[in-house]
Amino acid sequence: MSFADLDGWDADDHGAAVSAFRITCDDLAGSDWQKPISALPEADQDPRGFFEHFFCPVLIGGGASALFTGYYEPEFDGSRHPDTRFRCPIYRTPPEARGGLWETRRDIEERKLLQGRGLEIAWLEDPLDVFFLQVQGSGRIRLGDGATIRVGYDGRNGQPYRSIGQELIHRGVVEPDRMSMQAIRDWVRCNPAEGHELLFHNPSYIFFRQIDLPDPAQGPLGAMNRSVTPLRSIAVDPGHTPLGAPVWIEKHGANPMRRLMIAQDTGGAIKGAQRADIFFGTGQAAGLAAGAIRDRGRMIVLLPTALAHRRQRDA
């Protein structure tokens, strides 16, 4: 494709995309990426020209409409030790869960496979808080003494991810256009027994590690072990989109978005060439915005020119 084919390309803040690209560019492998990386010191002078000179827009898997969702870094009240209020632990990865298929969410919780092993990082108030923390993959836990713990993804049990939101839609409980994280919370609270069982619909279980970032204003760590940037970082399927690559998104819906993002994260539900999860930031407002996103559109990957032409020939 050409840059003229990208709807809204001229109006974007390309300098913000350059800043996000810098965070993970050193991890891009292959000689094709070296030319744009070597030119980055001068990219601020003409950020739009930087992308147009060194990259070519490529529509991968363009036969189907893209699906965009949102994610964020949640904040919860919690404690380093269990008490009458905080009774729901989040865990480090047990040795037997590393690198392969392990027990399901139901097995882990009903058989208490992690309890009493010293794997607890902190305790939260609500099982749904733990569940949504696992869905987002990172978060901040506010302690009673004013301190904050940041946790990030460390591993998973190898089981497939299944959306409980989609399950509620399938049951006819929530209309697709009304589905959000708040809608799930409301239904589970109104139906505690069925809600408890609903969480087991997703057999995937996420483990965490404590993260110490020097600047609390930095975003959580993505799949490239670098901080992600609000409204400039997306999670992608690395089987189709190279991690670290710039990606132009054209998201439709109630709040259309035309923006150059950087593919810096992955997710269990993010599968396919035309699939992306947009990082909205930290806290409640970011969560409300992220939870309301389920929009169609298209995404175009910016590849170094030589690599783009080579992929076209191979195709």
Side-chain angles (χ1 to χ4, degrees):
M1 303 177 68
S2 72
F3 285 94
D5 296 323
L6 309 186
D7 181 29
W9 171 258
D10 296 353
D12 192 29
D13 182 355
H14 302 88
V18 166
S19 296
F21 181 64
R22 278 197 179 100
I23 295 173
T24 49
C25 67
D26 289 342
D27 293 333
L28 285 161
S31 58
D32 293 306
W33 293 95
Q34 296 314 304
K35 282 187 177 180
I37 291 173
S38 63
L40 265 174
E42 293 77 39
D44 290 331
Q45 300 172 21
D46 182 11
R48 175 181 162 186
F50 165 75
F51 289 111
E52 292 179 349
H53 181 75
F54 289 101
F55 293 90
C56 180
V58 178
L59 183 63
I60 301 175
S65 176
L67 174 62
F68 296 102
T69 50
Y71 73 110
Y72 75 113
E73 183 186 32
E75 292 182 306
F76 300 110
D77 291 331
S79 172
R80 292 186 186 274
H81 307 283
D83 57 28
T84 56
R85 178 184 175 189
F86 300 110
R87 298 174 297 171
C88 305
I90 59 171
Y91 293 102
R92 300 177 181 87
T93 310
E96 61 269 35
R98 291 196 177 275
L101 186 67
W102 197 50
E103 308 290 350
T104 66
R105 174 181 298 275
R106 183 186 295 276
D107 288 330
I108 291 170
E109 296 192 0
E110 291 188 343
R111 293 165 53 194
K112 305 185 188 322
L113 298 179
L114 300 173
Q115 288 188 14
R117 300 176 56 183
L119 297 171
E120 296 88 351
I121 297 175
W123 279 259
L124 304 184
E125 186 173 7
D126 189 331
L128 264 180
D129 292 344
V130 174
F131 185 89
F132 282 128
L133 180 63
Q134 292 186 355
V135 170
Q136 301 304 318
S138 63
R140 304 187 190 203
I141 302 170
R142 298 182 296 256
L143 305 177
D145 60 4
T148 298
I149 298 174
R150 295 188 78 169
V151 295
Y153 174 92
D154 186 55
R156 57 194 298 266
N157 62 344
Q159 298 285 343
Y161 172 86
R162 294 177 185 156
S163 169
I164 62 172
Q166 288 301 301
E167 176 63 14
L168 289 179
I169 292 173
H170 175 72
R171 296 180 188 179
V173 173
V174 180
E175 294 297 322
D177 60 347
R178 295 183 178 276
M179 176 52 64
S180 67
M181 285 182 286
Q182 190 58 49
I184 295 172
R185 280 188 179 276
D186 292 343
W187 188 86
V188 170
R189 284 171 176 164
C190 292
N191 304 272
E194 293 175 87
H196 178 74
E197 186 66 23
L198 175 69
L199 301 189
F200 294 142
H201 174 75
N202 178 22
S204 176
Y205 198 95
I206 303 300
F207 306 104
F208 295 94
R209 61 190 174 100
Q210 188 167 335
I211 295 174
D212 297 313
L213 294 177
D215 182 359
Q218 287 182 303
L221 298 181
M224 303 182 76
N225 205 34
R226 303 286 193 280
S227 291
V228 291
T229 303
L231 298 177
R232 286 292 167 182
S233 296
I234 56 173
V236 299
D237 182 344
H240 296 277
T241 302
L243 282 176
V247 180
W248 178 255
I249 70 166
E250 297 173 4
K251 185 189 78 66
H252 306 324
N255 296 294
M257 186 178 293
R258 306 289 187 266
R259 184 169 295 203
L260 185 57
M261 316 290 272
I262 311 299
Q264 295 171 316
D265 209 352
T266 61
I270 311 305
K271 302 298 181 184
Q274 289 288 309
R275 183 72 175 91
D277 213 13
I278 301 168
F279 177 63
F280 274 79
T282 299
Q284 184 177 13
L288 291 173
I293 299 297
R294 189 174 180 83
D295 296 322
R296 293 293 177 174
R298 70 173 182 171
M299 49 189 285
I300 298 99
V301 182
L302 270 58
L303 295 177
T305 304
L307 177 59
H309 290 168
R310 191 162 60 252
R311 286 190 61 155
Q312 184 181 39
R313 288 194 301 271
D314 292 343

